[in-house]
Amino acid sequence: MTQTIVSERDGAVLTLRLNRPEKKNALTRDMYSRLATALQQADADASVHAIVLCGSAHCFTSGNDIVDFLEVPPTDMDSPVFCFMRSLLACRKPVVAAVAGAAVGIGTTLLLHCDLVYVAGDARLRMPFVNLGLSPEFGSSLLLPQRLGQARAAGLLLLGEGFSGEQAANWGLANAALEDGEAVLRQAHAAAHRLAALAPAAVQDSKRLMRAPGREQLQRVIEEESWLFIQRLKSPEAVAALSGFIHKAAP
Ligand code: COA
């Protein structure tokens, strides 16, 4: 059976690769659970110093699986998607994201919680939550206005405007935009190996210090966003929009 999350070790670097190409790496409950477990194990394993989170050289992820959203939506904080995001937020090891092609919904949101982000210049990022009758998730309603300013964040979150990898790098959401997906994967792995060669405690203490300010506020916002999101998923607008995608209705 094909593994939808491919886990590979190279020295002290663990790579977690999303591998569901036929659905543009849409994330299912099972994939979230596997990612959560892999992150928790990596965090507890002293021989892992850095983690790379990537898709293929052509696609990062099309976001949450829309069939799952309709058929087995998250219902409480123990749902796999929340376990995954909690594990990412709690991870003491540095996480390096490699993004090419589409990064939709949670595929863009999760980048706010990675430590280094490399993108292909022509990557297509988008958070179409409101367009789908949903609301922002995992701290994006707090972090995007803080990092990009209210006006730009409103364009991305309220209008669901898409943006390129080039723009993400210019706005400081990514460390660098590179020529293509292969270059992104190479750069992300090179950065992870550089991190892995440093003193692990120094890296982890530094990560913790950088993330500490505002952490309690972030947790509160995430909690509020999560309950709202669960409610919004049941709304007639969201059900209609998500069903429309599945049945290939015109947007
Ligand atoms: N959930 C479930 N299936 C998805 C999916 C998702 N999030 N994204 C793509 N797919 C499926 C498509 O239904 C299609 O399946 P099929 O071949 O059985 O018909 C397949 O993946 C390929 O997708 P397609 O839309 O044909 O690829 P594309 O290259 O034209 O477009 C995207 C790629 C990512 C731009 C587009 O698929 C898309 O917008 N997906 C939905 C993104 C989204 O709204 N995510 C949720 C955010 S909260």
Side-chain angles (χ1 to χ4, degrees), residues 205-219:
D205 283 348
S206 304
K207 169 169 176 164
R208 184 172 48 76
L209 287 167
M210 287 169 68
R211 299 253 170 204
R215 194 161 181 102
E216 282 170 18
Q217 186 190 15
L218 178 62
Q219 300 287 8

Side-chain angles (χ1 to χ4, degrees), residues 20 22-24 26 62-67 69 102 104-106 124 128-129 132 134 229 245-246 248:
R20 199 180 169 220
E22 72 284 6
K23 295 290 178 189
K24 303 284 170 179
S62 57
N64 202 104
D65 186 282
I66 291 180
V67 177
F69 259 166
V104 189
I106 195 168
R124 301 179 315 281
F129 299 113
L132 293 169
L134 301 170
F229 199 92
F245 176 80
I246 299 299
K248 312 232 181 275

